[in-house]
Every structure is written in structure tokens, then in C-alpha cells.
Amino acid sequence: MTAAHCVVDETGEIVDRPYFIDGHPAIVFEVNVADDLALLQTTDWGVKTGLKLANRAPRQGELVENMGFSWGQAHPFYYLGYVASTEYEDFIFAGMVAIGGQSGSPIVNSDGKVVGVCHVRWGGGPFSDFSPLLGFTQYETLKAYDRGWVFER
């Protein structure tokens, strides 16, 4: 799973380029631009375990963590913060560093279970690639995308 804006152009069409999951070739299986979510799939991945979906949505004040490839770096950056708001219509917000390149990376709770997918950042001005506020998928939207193979059981 990733953010749709990582795989589509400004018209909503899938960009024709190679995609990878942990270095393995992948295809774009499903895209929903409105929810900014996309599912990628690979048959070339031998890892038998994956991330698990949390049993419930995160609550305001709870610790959340993120590991993403900020600025397109070869090695991931690790961030942590607290859920700032769950009341916004489309996203949950966390007081956590947000840098370009994190989009599509998982947001996990203190148990390491997925509670969201990184999507948006606010602040910093038009030429800044840094924000102290990170927005991620509402839990119920994320839960609706589990196709029986997206999250480990």
C-alpha cells in the first residue's frame, strides 16, 4: 500500500514507470485518487510476514511512529510523534516531522501495527520540504482497503 499520488500523474492516470516493493518488481493493482491510496502487488517477494493492521483507530495523544525514505534517500528515516487531531474530515494529524518522500510509508502505533499511511504535510512555505505536522489516512478508510492480503493476519 502507498499513497496514490506516488503512482499517478496530475490527471489521475497511473504513471508508466517501474515500481518496486522492497526492491522487487511490482504492479499497481488498484488506485483510488479520492482517498489517495494505491495498492501495489508483487509475486517476487519471499517475505512471509508483513505489517499488521491495528485493531482500532489511534486516539488523540497516542504515540505513533513512521519510517520513510525522506528526500528519496536509500536508507529510511525514523520519526515519532503524537496524534494531534483525529477530528479532521480526511486525515488524522500527528505532531511529527514530515518531509517529502515519506508519502506512502506506514504510520504505526506503539505495538508496531499500522494505523495509517503518510500522505500530507503543512507549513514551511512554498519552497520548503519540511513540516512539523504530518497527515495520514483515517483508520476506517485504511481498513476498507484490506483485500485479505494487504495486511498480515
Side-chain angles (χ1 to χ4, degrees):
M1 181 176 288
T2 190
H5 72 263
C6 294
V7 299
V8 299
D9 61 21
E10 57 279 347
T11 68
E13 294 296 316
I14 296 172
V15 176
D16 184 20
R17 65 176 174 88
Y19 294 98
F20 299 92
I21 298 174
D22 197 25
H24 301 277
I27 62 163
V28 178
F29 180 79
E30 183 178 338
V31 174
N32 186 313
V33 174
D35 288 335
D36 196 20
L37 286 174
L39 299 177
L40 278 68
Q41 193 174 42
T42 184
T43 58
D44 189 35
W45 196 22
V47 177
K48 300 297 181 200
T49 60
L51 294 174
K52 295 182 180 184
L53 183 64
N55 295 326
R56 63 168 177 79
R59 297 183 180 122
Q60 190 173 29
E62 289 184 338
L63 179 71
V64 289
E65 303 171 62
N66 172 255
M67 195 169 238
F69 292 87
S70 301
W71 298 310
Q73 296 296 306
H75 300 286
F77 285 45
Y78 171 77
Y79 307 97
L80 68 127
Y82 292 91
V83 174
S85 175
T86 60
E87 302 301 318
Y88 191 77
E89 184 177 319
D90 298 323
F91 299 102
I92 296 171
F93 286 99
M96 177 188 297
V97 173
I99 298 174
Q102 285 173 250
S103 292
S105 60
I107 307 295
V108 299
N109 63 17
S110 58
D111 294 326
K113 294 185 178 175
V114 179
V115 294
V117 172
C118 180
H119 289 284
V120 295
R121 61 183 174 78
W122 268 268
F127 300 106
S128 175
D129 203 23
F130 173 83
S131 172
L133 187 62
L134 177 143
F136 60 97
T137 315
Q138 285 284 356
Y139 177 80
E140 292 304 318
T141 302
L142 181 68
K143 190 174 173 183
Y145 277 84
D146 190 2
R147 304 291 184 255
W149 52 265
V150 176
F151 298 104
E152 177 70 21
R153 301 281 179 245

